[in-house]
Amino acid sequence: MKFYLIIIGLCLSWKVTAQSVLVLHIETKKPISGAVLLQEHPLVSKTTNSTGVCNLAEFDLSRPIEIGLEGFKQQKMRFTVDSASVFQVFLEPQTIKISEVIVSATRWHELSKNIPSQTTKISSKEIRMGQPQTAADLLDLSGKVFIQKSQQGGGSPMIRGFATNRLIYTVDGVRMNTAIFRGGNLQNVINLDPFNTEHTEVIFGPGSVIYGSDAIGGVMSFQTLQPELSYTDKPLVSGNAHIRYSNANKEQSAHLDLKIGLNKWAFVSSFSNWNFDHLRQGKYGPNEYLKTNYVNRINNTDSIIQQSDSLLQIPTGYQQYNFMQKVMFKPNENWEFQYGFHYSSTSKFGRYDRHNRTRNGLPRYAEWNYGPQLWLMHLLQINHRGNTQLYDQLEIRIASQQFEESRIDRSLNNLFRNTQLEKVLAHSLNIDFSKSLGPENTLFFGVEGVLNDVTSSGTITQIESQASELGPSRYPTSTWHSWGIYVTDEQELGEKWTLRTGIRYNGFGLTSDFSQNLSFYPLPFKTAALRNQALTGSTGLVFRPNNSLLVRSNFGTAFRSPNVDDMGKIFDSEPGTITIPNPNLEAEYAYNIDFGLVKIINELFKIELNAYWTHLSNALVRRNYQLNGVDSLYFQGEFSQIQAVQNAAFARVHGLSFGWEWKWTKALYWKTDLNYQRGFEELDNGNISPSRHAAPLFGTSRLRYQTKSISCELNVRFQGERSHEDLAVEERNKTEIYALDYHGNTYSPNWYTLNLKTEFRVTEGFRVNTGIENITDQRYRPYSSGVSGAGRNIYLSLNAQF
C-alpha cells in the first residue's frame, strides 16, 4: 500500500507543459475536434479536444507530423521549436482521399495506406447522419457489413461469408467474444451504445495475429467517447443532449453525455435510454411475412388474439439503457491512466421468428423470449511512452466483463415454462508494444491472456402454482482460457512499398463439469477437458506508385479455438442419437488471400475494388463417434448412436466488393458500395451445401448534398434474391422466416428501401435531424432474418451540443 501511495504522490507532482496546436476549419475558422496528429518512427498519435487543441509535448518537432480527419485533406506539417506557443493549422474539406487513420489493424494509430487488408471506418459524422437505433444498425451504415436479425432486439453481422463466433467484436480494444458464442446468430452487439460511439472500424479478413481466436471473417472495433484534457488554466466542459422519436416502432430514445477536462484529470459520463414498441413492417411485399395473431394468457388460458393490424410484428418491443463512466489521469507527457466502466441492460424481448412457428395450424409457442440481457465491463488502461531499448510505446489493458443472458420458452397450452440462464465472467489482459527499429521499420508485439468462467442453470416452472424444479442447463459449468504472443513487423521498402509480416502462437484450453445434468443425460463421465495450440501468420504488401493509386495484397491465416458451445453439444441431442464431448478437438483454420485496388481520378472520383478467397479447414461438425470402443449408449429407453463434434469438414468463400465515390460539385457527392460473395460448406453427413452466412448481393448507394447549414442524403439499400436452391440446406425448411416462390419453395426475395435523411444545423450548438426511411413502404426481410425491416418510418431527432 505504501508503494502505491508513493507512486500516486509522484504522479500528482508531475506537470504537463508543452507547445500546442490549434486545428481549424479553413472556411469557417471554427475549431475541429477529433483531428488525429500522427508521427511515425517512433509512433506517436494524439487527437484534438473539443476546442480543437492538442498538446505537442509527446512529438519530436524536428520531424513532420501528419494531421487529418475523416472528410478533410490530410496535411503533413513541421513546427518550429521555441516559436509560437500555440500553432494554428487549417484543414481543407476533402470528401475523397486515399487514406485515413485506423487503429484496429495493429491496436495503434496508423494510416490505412500502409495496411494490406481492406478496412472501413464509420465516423461520428456518418453516425449522426445515419441515426442508427442500435449498434447493429450502425454497422449497416458501412454498406459493407450485412446484418441479420431474428428479432428487433438483435443484429448479427455477416462479413465475407462468416458470422457469429468466426468474427471478433472489440470495444475500446477489449475482446467481447465469450466462450459461449455459438455458430447460430447472435444479438450481443446491441449491448453497445451508438450514441456514445466515436467511431467504428472494420478490418475485413483474418485478424488472428493481433486478436487471436475467432478473427476469421473480420474484426469490428468500437471506440467509445474519450475524456479530453484542458490545455489552459480553465476547465474544459462540453457535452451532448439528444432525443429522438421514430414512428415505425414508436421509438423514444434519449442520450446525455458530459465531458470535464482539467490539466491532468479528465472525465466523461454517458447515459442512454431506448423504448421500442412492436415494429411495424411495410405494406407492399410477400404475404408470407404477415402474422395475423399472437398468444396472450387470459384467465389462466392461452388465448390466440387476432391482430387488428397485421403489419405489426408482435412481440418485438423492448427497452434498454446504457451507462458509461471514464476517468483519465495524465501526470505528464509520458504516462496516462484511464479507468472505464460500461453497463448495459435490456428488458426481455421476444424472439420473433420462433413466435412464427406453427404446429397443427396453431402457434407452436405461447412464449419464446430472451430474458434481460446484461453486460458490464471494468477496464483499466495504462499507456507509457518510454523510448526504451524494448519499446517506444506501451499499452496495458486489464478488463473484467460480466455477461448474462437467458432463454424462456413454453409451448402452447403447456403449463410448464423452461428457463435457461447463462452467466459468463470474462477476464482479459493485453500488453501491447510498438518499437521503431529505424526510420522505415516498426515492430508491433504483445501478449494476451483471456479467462472465461461459464455458469449455466435450467429451471422448469409450473406457471399456475409457480412451483419450480431444476431443469437441464444449456451448458456445463466450464472454464475456458486462451493465451497468445504475437509480433508484427512493418517495413517501408522505399517511399512506394510497405511490407507487413506477422506471426502469433496461441494456447487454449477448456474444462467442463457435467455433474448438474447427469440426472437428465446419464453419461458415463462427469468432466471433460481439452488443451491445444494454434500457430497463425500473415504477410501483406502495399504498393503506392503515386498519391492517387494504391494496390495491396495479403495472405493470412486465422483460427477459432473450440469453446463451451462446441463442447456442450450434448444438449442438442436428437431422437436416436446422443452427442458427447470430444476432448481431442483442435482449432479451425482459415487460409485467406485477397487483393485490393484504390484509384483516385482528379480528386473527384474514387474507385475501390477488393477480391478475396478463403478456405476453412478442420471445421467443427457433428459425426458418429466411439467412446471406449463403443458406438452406442442406452439413453431415454433405447440404444442411441454416439456422436461428437469433430474437426472433419471444410468451407470455402470467395467474393468481390466494389465501390465508388464521385464528387460532382463542391456540395454534391455520390457514394456506392456493392458486395458479392459465394460460399460452400461441408455438412455433418459429408454433403456440400451453400454457406448459410454468405449473404446475397447487397449494398448501398448514397447521393448527398451538403452546405454549411444543411446536409441532405437520398440513399437506397438493396439486396439481391437468394433462390431456394442457393439457400443453405439447413435453411430450406424454415417457412417461418422465408417467402415462398411460384413452386411453393422457400427463398429470400430481392428488396430495396429508398430513404431520405436531412440534418439542419440551426445554430453552432443545435442540430435537427429528420427523415423518411423506406419511403415506398416495402415489406422486406433481410436474408436469413426472422423479422421484417421497418415499414415507412418518419423520425425526428434533436441534438444540443454545449
Side-chain angles (χ1 to χ4, degrees):
M1 177 61 71
K2 291 183 179 179
F3 172 77
Y4 292 109
L5 291 174
I6 292 171
I7 294 297
I8 293 172
L10 289 173
C11 290
L12 292 173
S13 66
W14 290 339
K15 283 190 173 183
V16 179
T17 58
Q19 294 171 305
S20 302
V21 63
L22 173 62
V23 181
L24 302 168
H25 194 295
I26 195 171
E27 297 174 357
T28 65
K29 305 301 186 293
K30 293 179 180 179
I32 298 176
S33 64
V36 179
L37 282 71
L38 179 66
Q39 193 171 65
E40 298 177 304
H41 313 301
L43 181 64
V44 183
S45 61
K46 298 271 290 181
T47 58
T48 58
N49 62 20
S50 58
T51 63
V53 176
C54 179
N55 194 311
L56 295 175
E58 299 178 30
F59 294 89
D60 180 358
L61 298 188
S62 66
R63 299 188 296 111
I65 300 174
E66 296 263 7
I67 305 176
L69 180 65
E70 178 74 17
F72 291 90
K73 189 174 183 178
Q74 200 86 11
Q75 288 207 43
K76 182 177 286 190
M77 305 288 296
R78 285 183 179 272
F79 300 100
T80 305
V81 182
D82 296 330
S83 59
S85 60
V86 179
F87 302 100
Q88 290 189 356
V89 174
F90 294 91
L91 293 186
E92 176 185 353
Q94 184 183 43
T95 307
I96 296 175
K97 57 184 183 178
I98 205 164
S99 184
E100 60 185 344
V101 176
I102 295 291
V103 178
S104 52
T106 60
R107 295 185 180 272
W108 303 98
H109 283 98
E110 59 181 321
L111 296 174
S112 61
K113 67 180 181 181
N114 297 325
I115 302 172
S117 301
Q118 180 191 359
T119 65
T120 192
K121 186 174 184 177
I122 308 169
S123 66
S124 58
K125 180 181 177 181
E126 294 298 322
I127 296 172
R128 191 175 63 240
M129 189 69 188
Q131 292 291 308
Q133 292 187 342
T134 68
D137 298 333
L138 188 158
L139 288 168
D140 187 65
L141 295 178
S142 69
K144 301 178 178 70
V145 178
F146 190 86
I147 302 297
Q148 180 276 351
K149 290 187 178 183
S150 297
Q151 63 280 330
Q152 184 176 205
S156 188
M158 299 181 183
I159 300 176
R160 289 192 172 186
F162 297 99
T164 60
N165 57 16
R166 290 171 179 154
L167 302 175
I168 278 283
Y169 305 78
T170 72
V171 56
D172 292 343
V174 176
R175 173 193 182 93
M176 287 190 69
N177 294 44
T178 72
I180 63 171
F181 267 36
R182 56 191 181 273
N185 298 308
L186 297 168
Q187 67 273 2
N188 300 70
V189 73
I190 69 166
N191 288 331
L192 303 178
D193 181 356
F195 283 120
N196 76 3
T197 301
E198 282 193 344
H199 66 262
T200 299
E201 299 171 2
V202 182
I203 306 296
F204 296 87
S208 284
V209 169
I210 302 297
Y211 292 96
S213 178
D214 304 358
I216 291 177
V219 177
M220 294 159 286
S221 176
F222 296 83
Q223 177 62 60
T224 61
L225 294 174
Q226 290 291 97
E228 297 178 351
L229 292 171
S230 173
Y231 300 118
T232 68
D233 294 333
K234 296 182 179 180
L236 177 65
V237 180
S238 63
N240 280 276
H242 196 127
I243 58 172
R244 183 174 61 218
Y245 176 81
S246 304
N247 76 319
N249 55 2
K250 299 182 181 178
E251 175 205 12
Q252 300 176 55
S253 61
H255 167 79
L256 176 66
D257 65 71
L258 177 66
K259 293 183 178 182
I260 300 176
L262 307 174
N263 291 136
K264 297 179 181 180
W265 293 86
F267 310 85
V268 57
S269 304
S270 170
F271 176 80
S272 301
N273 180 73
W274 298 264
N275 193 323
F276 301 110
D277 204 341
H278 304 302
L279 180 64
R280 179 193 178 277
Q281 59 186 323
K283 184 177 181 181
Y284 305 103
N287 289 331
E288 292 84 5
Y289 296 164
L290 298 176
K291 185 169 75 73
T292 59
N293 57 58
Y294 63 95
V295 179
N296 196 9
R297 191 163 181 81
I298 302 175
N299 296 326
N300 292 326
T301 302
D302 287 338
S303 302
I304 300 175
I305 309 299
Q306 296 300 315
Q307 294 183 199
S308 58
D309 182 359
S310 62
L311 300 182
L312 209 58
Q313 300 177 96
I314 302 175
T316 53
Y318 76 103
Q319 297 82 43
Q320 179 174 342
Y321 67 90
N322 281 48
F323 174 74
M324 183 190 77
Q325 178 65 56
K326 290 184 179 181
V327 180
M328 182 176 73
F329 174 56
K330 191 175 179 62
N332 62 15
E333 64 270 18
N334 293 327
W335 287 94
E336 182 180 303
F337 303 86
Q338 186 177 134
Y339 167 75
F341 174 77
H342 299 257
Y343 181 84
S344 173
S345 178
T346 73
S347 65
K348 71 177 183 179
F349 47 89
R351 178 162 174 177
Y352 186 71
D353 59 342
R354 295 295 172 89
H355 285 272
N356 280 344
R357 291 186 176 180
T358 59
R359 183 169 60 183
N360 300 325
L362 297 175
R364 171 71 175 81
Y365 295 102
E367 302 176 45
W368 212 116
N369 302 312
Y370 285 112
Q373 185 168 293
L374 171 70
W375 171 61
L376 181 152
M377 180 171 77
H378 299 275
L379 171 61
L380 175 64
Q381 292 178 263
I382 303 172
N383 291 271
H384 181 237
R385 178 173 175 263
N387 294 328
T388 68
Q389 291 185 347
L390 178 62
Y391 62 87
D392 298 322
Q393 287 198 87
L394 160 69
E395 183 165 40
I396 301 173
R397 291 183 179 89
I398 305 171
S400 178
Q401 301 179 78
Q402 297 179 38
F403 299 85
E404 184 175 312
E405 57 189 58
S406 58
R407 294 161 178 80
I408 306 164
D409 70 86
R410 182 175 63 84
S411 297
L412 185 69
N413 297 322
N414 191 318
L415 296 180
F416 293 92
R417 176 189 296 123
N418 302 306
T419 302
Q420 292 179 317
L421 172 66
E422 287 79 55
K423 296 181 179 181
V424 180
L425 185 59
H427 307 286
S428 62
L429 169 67
N430 291 88
I431 305 176
D432 299 292
F433 305 87
S434 73
K435 177 63 179 178
S436 176
L437 301 181
E440 297 180 342
N441 192 7
T442 300
L443 200 65
F444 305 99
F445 58 101
V447 296
E448 178 185 58
V450 181
L451 177 66
N452 282 194
D453 288 322
V454 178
T455 58
S456 183
S457 62
T459 306
I460 301 174
T461 303
Q462 212 281 358
I463 61 175
E464 291 185 349
S465 66
Q466 293 300 307
S468 63
E469 61 183 27
L470 291 179
S473 63
R474 182 175 176 86
Y475 298 116
T477 300
S478 304
T479 298
W480 179 89
H481 72 267
S482 171
W483 60 268
I485 181 170
Y486 77 90
V487 59
T488 295
D489 182 68
E490 181 180 288
Q491 177 74 49
E492 293 183 14
L493 308 176
E495 295 183 358
K496 298 182 179 181
W497 296 86
T498 299
L499 174 66
R500 178 173 294 180
T501 303
I503 191 170
R504 180 187 182 105
Y505 181 75
N506 213 101
F508 55 87
L510 170 63
T511 59
S512 296
D513 185 343
F514 296 86
S515 299
Q516 68 192 77
N517 282 306
L518 291 182
S519 60
F520 305 103
Y521 306 101
L523 300 174
F525 52 82
K526 291 184 179 181
T527 62
L530 67 86
R531 299 285 187 278
N532 223 314
Q533 306 83 36
L535 181 68
T536 54
S538 66
T539 182
L541 190 64
V542 182
F543 176 50
R544 302 173 300 275
N546 52 55
N547 292 330
S548 62
L549 178 63
L550 183 148
V551 182
R552 58 177 176 248
S553 65
N554 188 64
F555 172 77
T557 62
F559 76 97
R560 184 180 79 84
S561 61
N563 64 17
V564 177
D565 188 74
D566 302 310
M567 285 280 285
K569 292 294 185 180
I570 181 175
F571 310 121
D572 291 338
S573 302
E574 300 171 352
T577 68
I578 181 171
T579 306
I580 67 174
N582 177 4
N584 299 313
L585 289 179
E586 299 177 355
E588 297 180 329
Y589 269 93
Y591 304 86
N592 176 84
I593 185 168
D594 56 60
F595 299 92
L597 182 146
V598 182
K599 174 62 179 176
I600 293 179
I601 302 172
N602 297 327
E603 296 188 356
L604 298 175
F605 190 76
K606 176 182 176 180
I607 301 175
E608 181 170 357
L609 175 66
N610 295 278
Y612 57 90
W613 177 88
T614 304
H615 175 83
L616 181 70
S617 65
N618 267 5
L620 297 174
V621 292
R622 190 170 54 188
R623 296 280 172 86
N624 290 344
Y625 190 71
Q626 289 188 351
L627 178 66
N628 299 325
V630 178
D631 63 2
S632 62
L633 283 175
Y634 192 74
F635 177 61
Q636 292 185 342
E638 63 179 350
F639 281 98
S640 298
Q641 171 67 53
I642 297 176
Q643 294 187 333
V645 174
Q646 303 173 53
N647 298 101
F650 70 89
R652 291 193 184 100
V653 180
H654 63 272
L656 294 169
S657 64
F658 176 69
W660 70 79
E661 300 176 42
W662 190 357
K663 186 178 180 180
W664 287 0
T665 67
K666 185 177 181 180
L668 196 59
Y669 169 74
W670 182 25
K671 180 180 180 181
T672 296
D673 288 292
L674 300 170
N675 305 272
Y676 169 82
Q677 53 198 258
R678 296 286 288 178
F680 302 93
E681 58 189 11
E682 187 178 6
L683 302 178
D684 292 347
N685 60 11
N687 293 336
I688 304 300
S689 166
S691 175
R692 175 185 177 185
H693 292 134
L697 175 74
F698 73 97
T700 305
S701 188
R702 300 179 175 90
L703 184 63
R704 182 176 296 177
Y705 176 80
Q706 182 170 314
T707 65
K708 293 180 180 180
S709 59
I710 186 174
S711 295
C712 183
E713 177 181 292
L714 182 67
N715 72 56
V716 58
R717 299 171 57 244
F718 54 88
Q719 176 209 288
E721 178 182 309
R722 177 60 56 86
S723 68
H724 179 75
E725 293 75 17
D726 288 334
L727 285 176
V729 171
E730 62 183 301
E731 295 287 289
R732 292 175 185 173
N733 293 325
K734 295 181 179 179
T735 56
E736 71 271 19
I737 69 174
Y738 289 108
L740 300 179
D741 62 20
Y742 292 111
H743 303 289
N745 295 320
T746 54
Y747 84 115
S748 180
N750 57 34
W751 56 263
Y752 78 93
T753 63
L754 186 65
N755 314 283
L756 178 65
K757 297 174 179 289
T758 58
E759 179 180 274
F760 300 94
R761 291 174 283 279
V762 181
T763 66
E764 184 175 343
F766 185 69
R767 290 184 173 90
V768 177
N769 287 76
T770 186
I772 307 176
E773 298 172 328
N774 194 0
I775 295 172
T776 57
D777 207 17
Q778 299 296 300
R779 185 186 308 140
Y780 73 98
R781 186 168 289 182
Y783 162 74
S784 192
S785 293
V787 64
S788 300
R792 184 182 295 120
N793 179 46
I794 301 173
Y795 68 86
L796 175 65
S797 171
L798 307 179
N799 175 226
Q801 296 178 323
F802 55 89

